[in-house]
Amino acid sequence: MKELITLSYKCDCKECIIRNLFFKHLKEEEIDTLCKSKVEKFLKEGQTILKEEIHNTYLAYLKSGLVKYYTEHKNGKNHIITIVKPYESVSLLSIFNNTNLSYNISALEDSILCLIPLKIIKEFIFTNSEFSFDYINSVTTIANRIIERFLTLNIKNLKGRIAFVLLEFADEIYKSDSFKLPITRREIGEMIGMTTENVIRTLSEFHKEKLIKITGKEVTIIEKEKLRKISLFG
Amino acid sequence: MKELITLSYKCDCKECIIRNLFFKHLKEEEIDTLCKSKVEKFLKEGQTILKEEIHNTYLAYLKSGLVKYYTEHKNGKNHIITIVKPYESVSLLSIFNNTNLSYNISALEDSILCLIPLKIIKEFIFTNSEFSFDYINSVTTIANRIIERFLTLNIKNLKGRIAFVLLEFADEIYKSDSFKLPITRREIGEMIGMTTENVIRTLSEFHKEKLIKITGKEVTIIEKEKLRKISLFG
DNA sequence: CGCGGCTTTGATGTTCATCAAGTAAAGTGG
DNA sequence: CCACTTTACTTGATGAACATCAAAGCCGCG
């Protein structure tokens, strides 16, 4: 019995990692190395990891749940950079270099983070060129997406921003036009640079105009095409 | 005589590249390869290269001069992402992956771009792991800087933004508190998300308050510490 | 039950974009 | 080199968009 369990043991990274972009070219033995050195960290909803705790030590990776990746400013105003879904990296950008801003991670649902020692990543970069290439592609893609998002948001008015973020939730995070908001109204504001009050006002307007149905955190998008137009031209 | 010239020929990349971050670990023969396959492109002040012209073919690199890296929106509004100094990369972020936004390059002074075929870069990534590592560091550093800049600007008011951009010119581009603006007032607006009129108004205010001296494009920063405070808290 | 955080609505004020109109500077063609 | 056109710069007036302030209801939690 005991032996059976031992025999049936296999590294779960093999399954997990397949789904990922930049680990696809790791060899069997490399995945074993990865698997042995990785640390899984369970985060309860609401729990936060300050950047310093993992910075310069681990590459953080979301295995399950949902987390936000955000900065804190001295004046108490936060800015949510992105909401991270499973199988996405949380700390790609700041790896291997210091930055002044602290990017923190906070769980929006119970989540499991996979922490991979940077030492191992660095090793792979030096020994597996296909990995390096995949890694570079991932980094540039993520960076581009974040920058594009900033540029896009910057030219939108409040209605456009709310429409934009609703479509983000529907199309990118939940793949459904009905979903439960994982964040507060204030946090929506922190995602798109507007005040809590105006987030609420705009959501209410959309509700009254029957573009969406929103009660508490439950959202249903009704007039998706109109919303898309508002997002695009607003 | 002729032979002498031939003998004294050496690849100028060897000198040029030393100064650079992510080419420092290329071997002699790799630099030769690089040198032979690179293309230099002269850009006259005001001349523009549309993204499509180099996208997916070259890594662009500024050898001398000054260029802006910007996006065009349908509504005619542009957004300057960054001003690029010599020995900085112009197209790092979009390399190896497609993006919808078109990032164009336009010369603010007569400039020389060094275009390196992506094929070569890719080759180096696959054959020189130290290069890969340096490259990853560069990409993440650049991405971080751009993102930090967006976050920083977003929470500033108009005065804070103008102060910020003036300090950028002084400290990062010209390394001097006296300089000639390489761009128009409209373009300053495109760098920090404000209208031409308000750029002018704010610059005039700073002039009246004797924080700076500005006549035409000539700028001298007088009260640097005050400007810093405005940038920080504005 | 009461406290704190979230949500909501209305009233008020500020910041900033827009509009207008004129001057200066720079490029263009005869 | 001068008239002509265009682009850049400047200032003031107006209005819209948005933040801020205030007050109250709601909900979950110790």
Side-chain angles (χ1 to χ4, degrees), chain B residues 139-157:
Chain B
V139 173
T140 53
T141 304
I142 291 174
N144 257 318
R145 211 167 45 202
I146 293 176
I147 292 169
E148 256 187 64
R149 192 175 180 280
F150 272 116
L151 290 172
T152 308
L153 275 176
N154 264 348
I155 56 170
K156 292 192 193 310
N157 61 22

Side-chain angles (χ1 to χ4, degrees), chain A residues 65-79:
Chain A
L66 201 68
V67 305
K68 63 173 179 178
Y69 185 58
Y70 70 101
T71 62
E72 267 182 351
H73 297 282
K74 317 127 230 27
N75 58 358
K77 279 189 185 173
N78 296 347
H79 201 127

Side-chain angles (χ1 to χ4, degrees), chain A residues 185-202:
Chain A
R185 313 291 199 253
R186 182 170 54 76
E187 285 172 312
I188 294 177
E190 289 173 359
M191 277 182 79
I192 54 183
M194 56 191 277
T195 58
T196 313
E197 293 95 323
N198 282 327
V199 170
I200 290 165
R201 254 186 279 272
T202 311

Side-chain angles (χ1 to χ4, degrees), chain B residues 110-127:
Chain B
D110 290 355
S111 298
I112 300 174
L113 277 185
C114 186
L115 302 177
I116 303 164
L118 284 186
K119 231 177 59 189
I120 304 281
I121 299 287
K122 199 167 166 179
E123 220 173 280
F124 291 158
I125 290 172
F126 277 99
T127 55

Side-chain angles (χ1 to χ4, degrees), chain B residues 3-186:
Chain B
E3 270 141 281
L4 257 178
I5 291 171
T6 310
L7 282 174
S8 73
Y9 163 84
K10 69 175 167 44
C11 171
D12 63 339
C13 294
K14 277 173 194 162
E15 283 169 34
C16 166
I17 268 154
I18 293 169
R19 316 174 66 151
N20 184 260
L21 255 174
F22 66 90
F23 288 142
K24 67 183 167 199
H25 284 114
L26 286 186
K27 296 173 203 102
E28 284 287 303
E29 67 266 26
E30 288 171 329
I31 289 193
D32 275 344
T33 309
L34 182 67
C35 206
K36 277 172 201 144
S37 56
K38 72 139 198 277
V39 182
E40 289 197 359
K41 187 170 172 71
F42 180 77
L43 281 186
K44 237 194 137 33
E45 185 178 327
Q47 205 179 338
T48 295
I49 304 186
L50 297 179
K51 188 62 199 356
E52 301 82 54
E53 295 179 47
I54 54 169
H55 181 52
N56 277 347
T57 318
Y58 296 106
L59 170 70
Y61 205 72
L62 187 64
K63 200 171 168 184
S64 70
L66 200 68
V67 304
K68 64 173 178 177
Y69 186 57
Y70 69 103
T71 63
E72 267 182 350
H73 298 281
K74 317 131 233 6
N75 58 358
K77 279 188 186 174
N78 296 346
H79 200 126
I80 297 178
I81 315 267
T82 180
I83 288 183
V84 177
K85 299 191 299 273
Y87 304 105
E88 287 183 346
S89 160
V90 182
S91 57
L92 257 193
L93 289 173
S94 45
I95 215 168
F96 301 135
N97 65 57
N98 296 312
T99 123
N100 325 341
L101 275 180
S102 66
Y103 296 104
N104 303 316
I105 297 166
S106 182
L108 301 174
E109 304 172 359
D110 290 355
S111 298
I112 300 174
L113 277 185
C114 186
L115 302 177
I116 303 164
L118 284 186
K119 231 177 59 189
I120 304 281
I121 299 287
K122 199 167 166 179
E123 220 173 280
F124 291 158
I125 290 172
F126 277 99
T127 55
N128 183 334
S129 55
E130 292 198 311
F131 172 81
S132 295
F133 187 70
D134 292 345
Y135 194 85
I136 289 169
N137 274 336
S138 292
V139 173
T140 53
T141 304
I142 291 174
N144 257 318
R145 211 167 45 202
I146 293 176
I147 292 169
E148 256 187 64
R149 192 175 180 280
F150 272 116
L151 290 172
T152 308
L153 275 176
N154 264 348
I155 56 170
K156 292 192 193 310
N157 61 22
L158 296 197
K159 284 190 175 191
R161 289 178 195 198
I162 290 289
F164 181 83
V165 80
L166 287 172
L167 291 170
E168 260 187 344
F169 276 116
D171 295 339
E172 278 160 49
I173 297 176
Y174 292 111
K175 319 270 186 207
S176 162
D177 291 352
S178 269
F179 52 88
K180 184 166 176 293
L181 282 173
I183 53 176
T184 64
R185 312 293 199 251
R186 181 169 55 74

